[in-house]
Amino acid sequence: MNQVSILIVGADYPNKDKSNRRTEILWSAPGERVDLVPEPKNPFDPQAVAVYSARGVQIGYVGSFQAQLIGSYLDTSKNRLISA
């Protein structure tokens, strides 16, 4: 299995549904699958890539310096990285 390490930012912000990102991170196991979802309509950064836990709870965003590169390798139909 291929793995990649990414910096996740924004864990201190609340989700719209009031779920707690930090709590969800604590419930996540190292190496657990996450979903990467591009947000081209994000008002702060059109290259934003949201990160969701295996349980579908947003835990933050890919750091801006990695978001552009990660976004270019995403298969948007499956929100998964494409092998380079």
Side-chain angles (χ1 to χ4, degrees), residues 7-84:
L7 174 67
I8 298 175
V9 299
D12 291 329
Y13 292 94
N15 288 325
K16 291 179 184 178
D17 66 359
K18 306 295 185 209
S19 57
N20 186 292
R21 294 177 181 182
R22 289 243 176 232
T23 299
E24 186 63 22
I25 290 168
L26 290 172
W27 287 0
S28 300
E32 188 173 75
R33 176 188 61 84
V34 295
D35 291 318
L36 304 174
V37 181
E39 290 188 349
K41 295 183 180 179
N42 184 305
F44 301 104
D45 182 2
Q47 295 181 335
V49 178
V51 181
Y52 288 83
S53 72
R55 289 162 294 285
V57 177
Q58 185 175 5
I59 58 176
Y61 287 91
V62 172
S64 63
F65 65 94
Q66 290 180 315
Q68 183 176 8
L69 178 63
I70 294 288
S72 70
Y73 285 103
L74 276 177
D75 175 347
T76 55
S77 66
K78 298 178 184 170
N79 296 327
R80 301 216 189 269
L81 290 177
I82 300 170
S83 296

